[in-house]
Amino acid sequence: MFTIYNCIAYEHDLRLVVLAAAVCSLASFAAINFLNHVRKTTGYMRDIWLCVAATASGFGIWATHFIAMLAYSPGIPSGYNIILTLLSLVAAILLTGVGLSIASGKRVPAGRWIGGATVGGGIAAMHYTGMAAFEIAGRMHWDPVFVAVSIVLGAAIGATALPAGLRDGSMKWKAIGAVLLTLAICSHHFTAMGAVSIIPDPTVVVSEMALPAGWLALGVALASLTILFLACAGLALDIRERHRAELEVDRMRGLADASAEGLLVCYGDKIVSINSSLTELTGYVPDDVIGESLAICLPEESVRRKLVARPRERIEAELRDVNGQFIPAEFILRSIDFAGQPHHAIAVRDLRDRKKAEEHIHFLAHHDALTGLPNRNSFNARLDREIEVHQVSGQSFAVFCLDLDRFKEVNDLFGHAAGDALLKRVAKCVTAVLDRSQMMARLGGDEFAIIATNLSGPSAAGRIAENIIDALRIENESSTTASFVSTSIGIAIFPNDAQDGRGLLTHADTALYRAKTDGRGVYRFFEAEMGIEVRDRRMLERDLRSAIARHEFELAYQPQARLDTREIAGFEALLRWRHPQRGQVPPGLFIPVAEESGAIQHIGEWVLRQACQEASGWTNPLSVAVNVSAMQLHNPQFTHLVHEILVQTGLKPGRLELEITETALIRDFNRALATLRQLKALGVRIAMDDFGTGYSSLSNLRAFPFDKIKIDGSFIKSVQANEQAATIVRAVLGIGRGLKLPVLAEGVETREELGFLGAELCDQVQGYLVGRPADIAGFRYLTHAAESARDLEFPLPHAGEGVALKVVNR
């Protein structure tokens, strides 16, 4: 480094060094500017401007060298060999041209870096050829280390100069590139000059043909400046013309960008312009595609030929984006005049939204929108195809009909959103256990159907049904509404049960009704005798929905008595249905139908309202007990309904007793607990009905605010003959005393049963021995007792055999 400093400071005329640096800077900036201009041109104009750039750059580098050589004063005679001097100029132009060509192209990987390094190599070749042309009365000795360093510096800095100058075409990066190129030339020159040592030798004579250094350097400088001036003038003219053309292009591009459709302009098969809409659609920026073949966007040659052959005709094809993905699009080609020449303008319309809408419409036409399962139309079409196939093959297949047990309760109690979520969960759960050959469809509401083909026999269909029921059972374990997620399944087999689609569906539906009758959560195969039974059940359901409007319901009341005081404590209201054709329909027959169909909500409200209305008119303020179904209990509006009925009828809340079964509690523990607490806050009394027949009885007694326990009549009937039943009754009575809850025994029909209960200190009894259910008018002597206390030493009119009771007017 010190050697180089001494070379510049003490062996050179600094004024000429500054001139050399100025010429070098001008040449470097011109080279970078020309190179940016070359990248924007195509065809033969690109080659012309590349030659101009190489000539101007080579002359500038060459002039820099010889001006710097003029600044070098060895103090002995010197001159320049004309041939080698010209050869150094040619080397500078050719190598610089090669480097600029590589840097401005796209074919060579890392072309800008390689091109820059090549230009650096041209600087070195020019310098050492020029030094070979330097004749002096002495001998030159070279330091190989400095020679190598000079070459590396020129190549390395040159390799960074062109990438910087071509970065984005801005003046900032052009200036940075020019500075780096200047640094490459100057660092190489002065490092190389520091590598040479001149030893005077009088025996060496300068050739008479050698040009004096001063004349040659001045001529070189003038020629170089002239060439640079002419090059800059030509560039200025070209820039002006290009600016005018760009204004026209910008005007057209502005119009094109205003279009919502993609637009590209082609000259022959080459893309010359694209608008912003196409950029947004494909991800291509103009620099990526301008000058490229149309095939970059439209790879199918047949489509390109069709566009040219059918101008103004809409053609659907696929457009390739920057990531290689294909976009469905519509193309229209029109011929236009662009920059004074005929071009093709191709409008591109994105069809993805339309295709997606068409697919969605097609999907909705064949699938259920909620669950994504095939719909009834798809199911019927598949069913018809399977019938045709299996008629030929002689094999059997099964049709399954499914619906969700108590689905209406979910909708009524938890809302339709919960119902929809349940349907989707069931669809996902069931389809997971089916194989690809089996099809599940949603027919409507909570009705589903399955086609299972190529079965070995009915047992295979039964295994499928078992898998479905087991899958739902497992799903229940992680569900907050587990008690509602169950299904009943009916199965019909082709060709045994029917040989047409309608018959198969009808028979599978008939088997489904049998499954629901047999307890839900089970499957049944179709049997011929099911038809009459199912039709009768459906007629019963239809009549049940209109029974309230037709005034076919009535209430019967059964008295409840205290065992210790033998006084009547109240009545239980019992629903009766007197059908105009069927006569008296047993509650055990129509209550399950009402629960299954969802009619129990309206029927339960009617019973509650009628019982409260009746009890409010009794002069003797006895209590009235009303059964409440699970569906009523889980209705969020039930507490409000009870309060409204009490207010409207004027019945005191303490006289109303609501009887709840254990089954109703386990469906949604938290909701049931919240509802019962709200009812207790109203002052209503709560009784657990049929204690011992449900689930988790002891935990329910601890968790829920009950006022009374009712022992199911099935235990009372067995106390005399079955010691286990007697033990259970004693245990329940003991629990009641321990929890300080009164216990009422239902179904008391004999004096022996009454005696057993009295001996075990049972609190209250109800049954035929006390009084049979009857119209409340028959109990007027109890509900409207005039005396404060009156012993009844004769049997009650509604008891099979008498029991001494009394009525207390409270």
Side-chain angles (χ1 to χ4, degrees), residues 597-761:
S597 64
I600 194 67
Q601 286 273 31
H602 300 293
I603 294 173
E605 179 183 344
W606 182 88
V607 171
L608 183 61
R609 192 177 298 276
Q610 289 296 113
C612 290
Q613 184 67 49
E614 178 64 44
S616 66
W618 300 342
T619 57
N620 192 10
L622 303 175
S623 65
V624 60
V626 178
N627 287 281
V628 174
S629 71
M631 197 171 186
Q632 289 176 276
L633 181 64
H634 293 292
N635 189 332
Q637 302 300 319
F638 181 65
T639 303
H640 176 75
L641 175 65
V642 172
H643 180 259
E644 178 186 305
I645 291 175
L646 291 173
V647 171
Q648 291 176 352
T649 60
L651 182 69
K652 293 182 178 180
R655 293 179 58 194
L656 175 62
E657 184 174 274
L658 299 179
E659 297 185 356
I660 313 295
T661 63
E662 291 179 289
T663 304
L665 302 178
I666 64 173
R667 291 188 181 175
D668 190 333
F669 182 93
N670 294 329
R671 184 183 290 270
L673 179 60
T675 301
L676 292 184
R677 286 175 174 171
Q678 291 170 1
L679 292 170
K680 287 286 291 181
L682 293 178
V684 175
R685 305 178 68 217
I686 309 296
M688 177 182 279
D689 197 13
D690 300 335
F691 181 77
T693 61
Y695 308 93
S696 305
S697 302
L698 296 180
S699 62
N700 287 337
L701 285 176
R702 183 185 64 180
F704 291 95
F706 292 108
D707 298 292
K708 181 188 291 185
I709 301 173
K710 296 186 71 175
I711 304 177
D712 187 68
S714 61
F715 293 106
I716 304 304
K717 289 180 175 62
S718 305
V719 292
Q720 298 299 318
N722 190 317
E723 184 59 30
Q724 290 181 341
T727 301
I728 291 173
V729 172
R730 290 191 188 98
V732 174
L733 292 171
I735 291 172
R737 285 192 297 272
L739 296 176
K740 297 181 181 180
L741 292 177
V743 179
L744 182 148
E746 296 182 293
V748 180
E749 298 181 357
T750 66
R751 288 184 177 274
E752 289 76 15
E753 294 169 355
L754 185 67
F756 172 84
L757 294 171
E760 297 297 334
L761 304 178

Side-chain angles (χ1 to χ4, degrees), residues 331-383:
F331 300 87
I332 304 175
L333 181 143
R334 291 182 175 86
S335 297
I336 64 169
D337 181 76
F338 184 77
Q341 292 181 320
H343 287 69
H344 295 310
I346 302 175
V348 183
R349 178 176 298 169
D350 185 3
L351 296 184
R352 285 178 295 187
D353 289 342
R354 194 184 83 181
K355 293 290 185 182
K356 189 180 296 183
E358 290 174 353
E359 291 174 359
H360 185 61
I361 292 171
H362 182 270
F363 180 86
L364 291 179
H366 297 85
H367 293 78
D368 172 55
L370 177 65
T371 62
L373 295 173
N375 60 13
R376 184 182 290 272
N377 291 335
S378 295
F379 180 84
N380 290 336
R382 170 73 181 274
L383 184 57

Side-chain angles (χ1 to χ4, degrees), residues 410-438:
V410 178
N411 273 338
D412 291 344
L413 299 180
F414 302 103
H416 290 282
D420 291 345
L422 178 62
L423 290 173
K424 289 190 285 187
R425 196 166 81 246
V426 168
K428 181 180 180 180
C429 182
V430 175
T431 52
V433 303
L434 302 178
D435 60 37
R436 293 185 178 180
S437 66
Q438 297 162 355

Side-chain angles (χ1 to χ4, degrees), residues 407-637:
F407 177 70
K408 191 175 186 337
E409 293 184 25
V410 178
N411 273 338
D412 291 344
L413 299 180
F414 302 103
H416 290 282
D420 291 345
L422 178 62
L423 290 173
K424 289 190 285 187
R425 196 166 81 246
V426 168
K428 181 180 180 180
C429 182
V430 175
T431 52
V433 303
L434 302 178
D435 60 37
R436 293 185 178 180
S437 66
Q438 297 162 355
M439 173 187 182
M440 181 180 185
R442 183 187 179 201
L443 305 185
D446 65 327
E447 300 177 36
F448 298 88
I450 297 173
I451 297 175
T453 59
N454 299 321
L455 299 178
S456 58
S459 60
R463 285 193 295 272
I464 294 173
E466 290 171 356
N467 290 339
I468 293 171
I469 293 172
D470 288 343
L472 290 178
R473 177 182 54 78
I474 294 172
E475 178 72 14
N476 288 347
E477 296 175 0
S478 60
S479 171
T480 57
T481 56
S483 58
F484 294 109
V485 186
S486 64
T487 183
S488 301
I489 305 175
I491 309 172
I493 305 295
F494 173 90
N496 300 341
D497 296 329
Q499 297 188 9
D500 62 276
R502 182 175 181 180
L504 284 169
L505 271 176
T506 300
H507 290 165
D509 191 49
T510 300
L512 170 63
Y513 269 86
R514 167 58 66 87
K516 297 180 81 66
T517 303
D518 289 351
R520 301 186 178 91
V522 297
Y523 68 92
R524 294 290 181 266
F525 287 93
F526 172 76
E527 298 173 2
E529 62 270 16
M530 289 181 179
I532 297 174
E533 180 182 340
V534 170
R535 284 194 295 273
D536 182 65
R537 185 178 178 86
R538 287 179 175 174
M539 291 179 63
L540 186 68
E541 180 180 329
R542 182 198 64 191
D543 294 343
L544 187 63
R545 293 184 181 279
S546 58
I548 294 178
R550 296 178 180 177
H551 305 289
E552 295 172 3
F553 286 130
E554 56 188 31
L555 293 182
Y557 293 83
Q558 188 173 30
Q560 299 172 336
R562 290 178 56 88
L563 264 181
D564 53 353
T565 62
R566 297 298 178 95
E567 68 181 16
I568 297 297
F571 292 88
E572 180 180 3
L574 302 171
L575 180 63
R576 298 292 182 261
W577 182 17
R578 192 178 301 279
H579 193 278
Q581 286 79 37
R582 299 172 183 264
Q584 196 73 31
V585 182
L589 179 61
F590 74 82
I591 291 297
V593 176
E595 291 179 341
E596 179 185 320
S597 64
I600 194 67
Q601 286 273 31
H602 300 293
I603 294 173
E605 179 183 344
W606 182 88
V607 171
L608 183 61
R609 192 177 298 276
Q610 289 296 113
C612 290
Q613 184 67 49
E614 178 64 44
S616 66
W618 300 342
T619 57
N620 192 10
L622 303 175
S623 65
V624 60
V626 178
N627 287 281
V628 174
S629 71
M631 197 171 186
Q632 289 176 276
L633 181 64
H634 293 292
N635 189 332
Q637 302 300 319

Side-chain angles (χ1 to χ4, degrees), residues 10-338:
Y10 301 110
E11 297 178 7
H12 286 76
D13 185 339
L14 294 181
R15 291 170 297 176
L16 292 178
V17 169
V18 172
L19 176 60
V23 172
C24 182
S25 299
L26 181 61
S28 298
F29 184 78
I32 297 297
N33 206 24
F34 285 143
L35 191 55
N36 276 277
H37 188 59
V38 167
R39 293 181 63 246
K40 298 178 182 178
T41 57
T42 58
Y44 69 93
M45 288 301 298
R46 181 178 185 277
D47 297 332
I48 291 175
W49 281 111
L50 187 61
C51 291
V52 172
T55 301
S57 303
F59 261 99
I61 296 169
W62 187 69
T64 300
H65 170 77
F66 282 100
I67 294 174
M69 289 301 295
L70 179 63
Y72 177 68
S73 178
I76 55 178
S78 62
Y80 289 89
N81 184 291
I82 297 177
I83 296 176
L84 290 178
T85 299
L86 294 176
L87 183 61
S88 67
L89 174 61
V90 172
I93 294 173
L94 289 179
L95 289 176
T96 302
V98 171
L100 296 180
S101 177
I102 294 173
S104 63
K106 298 181 180 179
R107 297 181 179 180
V108 179
R112 296 178 181 180
W113 298 87
I114 296 174
T118 303
V119 171
I123 297 170
M126 184 281 307
H127 177 86
Y128 288 108
T129 305
M131 290 300 293
F134 186 46
E135 296 184 5
I136 191 168
R139 302 185 184 279
M140 291 186 290
H141 293 279
W142 297 91
D143 184 338
V145 175
F146 275 91
V147 170
V149 170
S150 69
I151 296 173
V152 170
L153 278 176
I157 301 176
T160 61
L162 297 192
L166 295 175
R167 178 163 182 172
D168 59 11
S170 66
M171 187 57 66
K172 170 187 172 182
W173 285 103
K174 286 181 181 180
I176 292 174
V179 169
L180 289 172
L181 188 56
T182 301
L183 184 61
I185 297 170
C186 293
S187 64
H188 168 82
H189 175 84
F190 290 106
T191 303
M193 291 302 294
V196 65
S197 298
I198 299 175
I199 301 174
D201 187 352
T203 63
V204 179
V205 179
V206 178
S207 172
E208 293 181 0
M209 298 297 295
L211 292 176
W215 287 103
L216 179 61
L218 183 58
V220 168
L222 291 175
S224 300
L225 290 173
T226 302
I227 291 173
L228 289 174
F229 173 77
L230 293 176
C232 291
L235 180 59
L237 291 173
D238 184 73
I239 290 175
R240 188 181 69 174
E241 293 299 321
R242 182 172 294 277
H243 181 64
R244 291 175 58 187
E246 286 178 351
L247 289 176
E248 180 66 18
V249 170
D250 287 342
R251 185 181 68 83
M252 295 190 66
R253 185 177 291 117
L255 294 175
D257 288 342
S259 172
E261 296 180 341
L263 186 68
L264 56 87
V265 180
C266 297
Y267 181 66
D269 196 44
K270 299 295 182 181
I271 299 174
V272 298
S273 178
I274 63 172
N275 71 345
S276 59
S277 295
L278 192 68
T279 296
E280 293 176 4
L281 179 60
T282 63
Y284 285 116
V285 296
D287 287 346
D288 293 335
V289 294
I290 290 177
E292 300 290 340
S293 170
L294 182 59
I296 193 173
C297 298
L298 272 173
E300 294 187 32
E301 185 179 355
S302 59
V303 175
R304 299 196 300 271
R305 288 200 303 266
K306 188 183 295 184
L307 279 171
V308 176
R310 302 178 185 177
R312 297 182 177 273
E313 182 177 325
R314 300 177 186 272
I315 296 174
E316 290 189 14
E318 289 187 324
L319 176 71
R320 184 165 59 188
D321 67 11
V322 70
N323 298 315
Q325 303 297 318
F326 288 93
I327 302 169
E330 182 180 76
F331 300 87
I332 304 175
L333 181 143
R334 291 182 175 86
S335 297
I336 64 169
D337 181 76
F338 184 77

